């Protein structure tokens, strides 16, 4: 399979909106996402328009698209970006049938390279729900180190939950 990861274009961001809005309540629960906190589709599109109008150094979010043989298969994003220092990553294979085939691990590795290059970061964190096995296993396989488990509200879409903090730092 030919996997490719690159910066998501603005016209591709409906992938993100559709993914969350078409997810089952059970899937959102696994992600730690509160469905009442999802922005309505049109409002979310406006948020993306504004985001993409900002220079990368000032961006609050940065999105990558994952492609298999040229077709979208998933995406990753960063938020809590401190340009030149650190950011928090998210990861999603959008088609359930394509999960657990090695795509996530490969695409996370490729995404990490892009984040370090584009955001000039020194540290990349990821904090999946502690009970969500998929990302926790994938992050370990992709070279992230476990830091700790703690209770937090990870982001504006999330409810209060236990998360595992993982950290990627390039070898010195
Ligand atoms: C998390 C996700 C991106 C990982 O991508 P993936 O393509 O499924 O991951 P891989 O196939 O590379 O699997 C990597 C490892 O995780 C394991 N794994 C993945 N999903 C798993 C699951 N649901 N249950 C148990 N193990 C799982 C794989 O078996 C593999 O283990 P190994 O290292 O022993 O071989 C994908 O499962 C996904 O999109 N899940 C739903 C969205 C999500 O939970 N996102 C995280 C939000 S923070």
């Amino acid at each position: 399979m030919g996997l490719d990861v690159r910066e998501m274009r603005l016209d591709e961001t409906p992938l993100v909106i559709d993914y969350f809005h078409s997810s089952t309540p059970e899937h959102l629960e696994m992600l730690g996402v509160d469905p009442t906190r999802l922005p309505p589709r049109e409002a979310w599109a406006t948020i993306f328009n504004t985001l993409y109008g900002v220079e990368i150094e000032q961006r609050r979010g940065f999105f990558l698209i994952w492609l298999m043989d040229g077709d979208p298969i998933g995406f990753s994003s960063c938020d809590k970006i401190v340009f030149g220092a650190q950011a928090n990553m998210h990861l999603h294979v959008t088609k359930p049938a394509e999960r657990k085939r090695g795509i996530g691990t490969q695409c996370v590795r490729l995404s990490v390279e892009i984040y370090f290059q584009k955001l000039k970061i020194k540290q990349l964190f990821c904090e999946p729900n502690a009970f969500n096995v998929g990302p926790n296993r994938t992050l370990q396989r992709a070279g992230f180190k476990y830091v700790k488990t703690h209770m937090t509200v990870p982001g504006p879409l999330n409810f209060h939950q236990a998360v595992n903090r993982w950290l990627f730092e390039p070898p010195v």
Side-chain angles (χ1 to χ4, degrees):
M1 62 191 163
L3 289 173
D4 190 23
V5 176
R6 60 162 171 77
E7 203 170 331
M8 189 182 284
R9 297 191 310 262
L10 178 59
D11 67 296
E12 292 169 328
T13 56
L15 175 74
V16 179
I17 300 171
D18 289 342
Y19 168 70
F20 282 103
H21 273 283
S22 61
S23 287
T24 62
E26 293 76 17
H27 187 69
L28 293 177
E29 171 80 19
M30 189 183 71
L31 300 180
V33 168
D34 177 349
T36 69
R37 297 188 188 190
L38 294 179
R41 285 173 184 271
E42 282 185 18
W44 209 340
T46 304
I47 291 169
F48 271 120
N49 272 324
T50 307
L51 182 75
Y52 274 69
V54 175
E55 292 297 320
I56 190 166
E57 290 82 357
Q58 276 83 44
R59 287 258 186 103
R60 294 170 60 104
F62 184 70
F63 285 75
L64 303 178
I65 191 164
W66 296 354
L67 304 162
M68 185 167 67
D69 300 330
D71 292 327
I73 188 100
F75 66 92
S76 174
S77 64
C78 272
D79 57 13
K80 300 181 183 173
I81 300 168
V82 181
F83 192 84
Q86 64 181 62
N88 273 52
M89 184 187 79
H90 304 272
L91 60 157
H92 300 273
V93 170
T94 47
K95 294 179 184 166
E98 304 293 356
R99 293 176 190 146
K100 293 210 261 186
R101 295 179 54 204
I103 291 168
T105 304
Q106 285 192 59
C107 287
V108 165
R109 288 191 177 126
L110 295 169
S111 300
V112 166
E113 281 181 29
I114 297 175
Y115 290 136
F116 276 82
Q117 191 194 348
K118 291 276 185 183
L119 303 175
K120 317 269 186 241
I121 51 176
K122 311 283 186 293
Q123 294 183 308
L124 182 62
F125 293 94
C126 187
E127 290 200 325
N129 186 299
F131 301 105
N132 186 359
V133 180
N136 284 290
R137 294 279 297 269
T138 302
L139 290 163
Q140 184 167 29
R141 181 158 268 257
F144 282 68
K145 297 280 178 268
Y146 171 80
V147 179
K148 65 172 184 175
T149 302
H150 68 124
M151 296 293 294
T152 188
V153 179
L157 304 183
N158 300 111
F159 51 80
H160 192 237
Q161 62 195 272
V163 301
N164 290 333
R165 176 176 295 173
W166 294 86
L167 169 63
F168 189 95
E169 289 177 303
V172 277

